[in-house]
Amino acid sequence: MKKRFGLICTTVVCAVLGLHLGTGNATAADARTVRHDYNGDGRSDIAAWYDYGDGHDAVRTFLAGTDGGFPAPGVGWETGAGNFWADHMKRLTGDFDGDGIGDIAAFYGYDDGRVTAFTWLGRGDGTFAGHFSSWTAAPGNWTFANMTAEAGDFNGDGRDDIAVWYDYDNGDDKLFTLLARADGGFSSHFSSFERTEADGWDVKRMKFATGDFDGDGRDDLAALYGYASGTVKTMAFTAKPDGGFNEPVRGWESDGWNFSRATVHAGDFDGDGRDDLAAWYDYADGHDAVIGFELDADGKFGNRREILNLTTAAGYDRDRMKIVTGDYNGDGHDDLATLYGYSDGRVKTITFTAKADGSLNGSLHSWESTGDNWTFDRVHPIERYSSHPGLPLCPTVFGHGGYPTGANAWERDQVRQPNHPAGLAQQKSWGADGVEADLQLTKDGTKGVMWHNTTTRGLTGTSRNITDIWWASGSDQLKGRTIDRGPYTGETVYTFREWLDSAKAQNMIPLVELKGEAKQSLLNSDSSIREAAWNEVIAPISERIASQEIMISTGDATLKPELEKRLKAAGLGATFTGHPVWVDDIGWEEPAPSASGNYGGWQQDLNRYGSTTRSVRMATTWTKDFTSWLNGKCA
């Protein structure tokens, strides 16, 4: 279906009005498609691929209301565990069969090297038919990771097509088109634009959007290019009648923008029948703005104007937004909508509807998740265009000392935990920015000490439980004992305070695990023992928190609620947050297993959690191997 001035028309009515469907003759000003309208009501909707923790996947559809907000999402399509891996997909939305209802397409990269294009046709009620395949590249022909996919009606026939920017391993680049068939599948690809390695193009420096920027009835490709010199420049690749693309025309440029702070979008925000290019810019001072550009008569993006300004007080973090453009209130002007992931785990839909002049209204909040039933990192809204993710910023690495698994692990343990200055220094030399270390309490909570094991096995002297001996009294006291095996032989046991001070001196972020054995004193029935023990945990943190970041956790289910309660009571609730994600797939053993068993998991976690705008915290027991593996995989 096509829309004119906000009205929906069938094929017959459009013919009476002189509008053309699927002929390539109508201009965008004559007839305007409502993009990704999944229920045929004349308003754009949002489809999001949700990757559930149990391995199954679903398309969740947010059907827009008359005000541009969204009710709770429905289930548009669902499949069992193991059928699709979200990380192996490049998803797009468009009307691929030309029936006026939005569809979904995706390239899927198989482990054997195959790449296949799938289509899910919209049924018109917010759900999707089962997927079918059309185009396929055999192993060795196309590399999934080298593809950046965009959707749009590039030949003006009323069906959305797919364009693929292909980044060859030798540095060459080509722009391919796959024209949509009447059934919503895709024909063989052909190329229209190419550059050699010597020309110096780098798709990781490009951010794409598609739209009919010149109003000729064919969608075009826009790009924002971030040069190594620091210059940022707009480019327009207008579409040819056959669905290929013309040579790019360079337009507005700036030396004052940071490429990593800009994302690009496209929509007809002012309702003039031609799409505008919009850049959401996340300023370093915390405020945000959306900058609009129009294509001029020379085919250049210009007429720069600010269409939205959000002050720092608005509190939006661009890294927590997943934006999709569409006409969500059906007024003939495209809007911006986002799924927003709050730090407390909530996910919410927010819409910025367009005004008559093409500027955007303030935020309209609508649906919000409840409890922990949605995870922001697992939801992937589907847009018409995409950009190469580029290299994520290198993670902030937290090192950990491994302890063997299996029976009699203590016999093989080499006491590798960084519970002393030497361990901190070693982890730092391997590239760690922080460490995970272990806090125990001696008998009756009299001293907080840095030690991993339940007993003193691994230390000189008689083997005793840590909770059965005193720190500095008795024949079996802990103070003065030294490690008797492994790489840190000769190192002694340090108090919690001493260790925190060493971490600060070495500029290492401490993540402290409060060991479950400490329950002997922390949950003691004698209140004097209990309070003294908690003081050994809380006071060292309170004394240093103003000048040192400190995090703490516990794996003990009975200690955790009491620890959290006491931290909050002491004004230290933040120490329970900001913890790294653990990225290792295999368990530690002695001698140490090859780190290669982690490579697949490391890559998946880097793809999933890595960010181009912030350094994500990741923890590993293979610190030296992990930081070496990251070389060339992050920026």
Side-chain angles (χ1 to χ4, degrees):
M1 290 188 290
K2 298 285 180 176
K3 183 175 75 172
R4 180 179 173 86
F5 307 124
L7 300 176
I8 302 300
C9 61
T10 64
T11 302
V12 174
V13 175
C14 284
V16 172
L17 293 174
L19 306 182
H20 302 277
L21 293 176
T23 65
N25 298 321
T27 67
D30 294 326
R32 184 174 175 275
T33 302
V34 183
R35 294 178 172 121
H36 47 91
D37 176 5
Y38 302 120
N39 62 352
D41 64 357
R43 296 188 295 270
S44 298
D45 309 302
I46 295 177
W49 188 282
Y50 198 93
D51 172 27
Y52 286 89
D54 64 2
H56 89 279
D57 295 83
V59 174
R60 305 300 301 269
T61 48
F62 296 82
L63 302 179
T66 56
D67 64 350
F70 300 91
V75 177
W77 176 85
E78 198 162 15
T79 188
N83 292 326
F84 284 91
W85 291 92
D87 291 342
H88 288 211
M89 304 178 73
K90 299 179 188 291
R91 295 166 289 270
L92 297 167
T93 185
D95 182 5
F96 300 114
D97 61 357
D99 66 352
I101 300 297
D103 312 309
I104 296 171
F107 287 109
Y108 195 86
Y110 289 90
D111 290 338
D112 65 3
R114 284 177 297 143
V115 181
T116 295
F118 291 104
T119 305
W120 290 257
L121 294 177
R123 290 185 170 127
D125 60 358
T127 67
F128 299 88
H131 58 287
F132 66 92
S133 63
S134 51
W135 178 93
T136 294
N141 290 329
W142 284 48
T143 300
F144 178 75
N146 295 1
M147 302 167 63
T148 304
E150 324 295 336
D153 183 4
F154 302 123
N155 64 353
D157 67 353
R159 297 190 297 267
D160 283 315
D161 314 301
I162 292 179
V164 175
W165 188 288
Y166 194 86
D167 176 30
Y168 287 88
D169 290 335
N170 67 355
D172 294 349
D173 293 86
K174 277 189 180 181
L175 182 55
F176 293 94
T177 303
L178 288 75
L179 296 177
R181 306 183 314 218
D183 66 351
F186 300 96
S187 303
S188 297
H189 56 278
F190 65 92
S191 65
S192 55
F193 169 86
E194 62 182 279
R195 289 292 187 271
T196 66
E197 187 274 338
D199 294 315
W201 287 63
D202 184 352
V203 71
K204 292 187 287 296
R205 294 185 175 276
M206 304 178 76
K207 296 178 181 179
F208 297 102
T210 58
D212 185 4
F213 302 112
D214 57 6
D216 67 353
R218 296 188 297 270
D219 283 326
D220 313 302
L221 181 65
L224 186 71
Y225 199 102
Y227 290 87
S229 64
T231 299
V232 174
K233 187 175 293 188
T234 58
M235 297 181 181
F237 299 77
T238 54
K240 301 177 181 179
D242 66 354
F245 296 91
N246 293 300
E247 286 289 310
V249 178
R250 293 164 175 79
W252 175 89
E253 65 179 80
S254 172
D255 293 326
W257 274 27
N258 183 328
F259 180 70
S260 67
R261 290 187 171 275
T263 56
V264 294
H265 313 276
D268 183 6
F269 303 110
D270 58 7
D272 68 352
R274 299 197 312 168
D275 285 308
D276 312 305
L277 180 65
W280 185 294
Y281 196 84
D282 175 24
Y283 285 89
D285 65 1
H287 90 278
D288 294 81
V290 179
I291 311 299
F293 303 92
E294 295 177 343
L295 204 68
D296 64 20
D298 296 324
K300 300 178 180 179
F301 282 112
N303 191 25
R304 178 193 187 279
R305 66 190 187 107
E306 186 175 271
I307 61 176
L308 179 68
N309 189 297
L310 296 171
T311 65
T312 304
Y316 289 109
D317 180 349
R318 179 62 186 87
D319 208 41
R320 295 183 177 277
M321 305 175 77
K322 298 179 179 180
I323 296 174
V324 182
T325 307
D327 183 4
Y328 298 112
N329 58 4
D331 66 352
H333 298 259
D334 279 324
D335 317 302
L336 292 181
T338 183
L339 286 176
Y340 196 92
Y342 288 89
S343 58
D344 62 6
R346 288 176 298 137
V347 179
K348 180 181 281 190
T349 53
I350 302 173
T351 311
F352 301 89
T353 57
K355 302 176 185 178
D357 64 357
S359 62
L360 300 176
N361 289 299
S363 58
L364 169 68
H365 291 229
S366 49
W367 171 84
E368 180 178 320
S369 65
T370 57
D372 58 357
N373 57 342
W374 276 66
T375 301
F376 185 66
D377 289 334
R378 291 187 174 276
V379 60
H380 309 279
I382 305 173
E383 178 58 288
R384 308 188 318 273
Y385 39 81
S386 66
S387 296
H388 191 287
L391 292 178
L393 295 180
C394 287
T396 300
V397 177
F398 282 71
H400 173 256
Y403 187 82
T405 55
N408 300 323
W410 55 268
E411 294 180 343
R412 303 184 302 282
D413 178 33
Q414 295 297 300
V415 197
R416 297 181 183 273
Q417 296 77 29
N419 289 321
H420 35 70
L424 287 164
Q426 181 71 85
Q427 291 285 340
K428 187 177 182 70
S429 74
W430 288 336
D433 306 283
V435 296
E436 195 264 12
D438 311 286
L439 175 60
Q440 296 270 22
L441 295 176
T442 57
K443 186 175 181 178
D444 291 345
T446 49
K447 185 65 68 175
V449 296
M450 302 305 293
W451 182 248
H452 174 273
N453 299 343
T454 301
T455 73
T456 59
R457 198 180 298 272
L459 292 171
T460 55
T462 305
S463 178
R464 297 288 303 277
N465 287 340
I466 294 294
T467 55
D468 289 341
I469 59 176
W470 307 104
W471 168 245
S473 62
S475 59
D476 292 328
Q477 70 178 43
L478 184 59
K479 184 178 181 180
R481 294 193 187 216
T482 58
I483 296 172
D484 65 7
R485 68 190 70 176
Y488 300 119
T489 298
E491 262 292 352
T492 191
V493 179
Y494 287 78
T495 68
F496 187 23
R497 285 181 170 89
E498 290 172 335
W499 184 83
L500 287 174
D501 290 342
S502 180
K504 181 181 180 182
Q506 298 190 52
N507 197 29
M508 296 287 277
I509 306 169
L511 169 60
V512 181
E513 180 187 358
L514 179 60
K515 304 299 286 186
E517 292 86 345
K519 287 184 293 188
Q520 181 269 333
S521 53
L522 294 174
L523 301 182
N524 199 287
S525 59
D526 186 324
S527 62
S528 62
I529 292 176
R530 191 169 62 247
E531 294 308 313
W534 278 111
N535 189 62
E536 283 293 306
V537 175
I538 302 295
I541 301 175
S542 295
E543 295 159 4
R544 292 160 176 78
I545 198 65
S547 60
Q548 181 181 13
E549 181 183 4
I550 301 170
M551 295 179 289
I552 189 168
S553 68
T554 182
D556 189 280
T558 56
L559 273 179
K560 185 175 181 179
E562 185 67 14
L563 173 62
E564 188 169 6
K565 182 182 76 173
R566 288 180 178 263
L567 287 171
K568 289 180 177 178
L572 299 172
T575 63
F576 226 56
T577 63
H579 297 186
V581 58
W582 287 89
V583 296
D584 298 338
D585 272 0
I586 60 176
W588 187 264
E589 192 46 88
E590 295 290 355
S594 170
S596 61
N598 289 311
Y599 290 170
W602 288 348
Q603 187 63 65
Q604 285 188 358
D605 286 336
L606 187 62
N607 292 344
R608 180 172 181 179
Y609 299 110
S611 169
T612 58
T613 59
R614 62 188 175 94
S615 177
V616 176
R617 293 179 170 183
M618 296 183 174
T620 178
T621 304
W622 280 262
T623 311
K624 185 177 181 180
D625 298 285
F626 183 52
T627 55
S628 176
W629 176 87
L630 285 169
N631 187 37
K633 297 179 175 66
C634 60

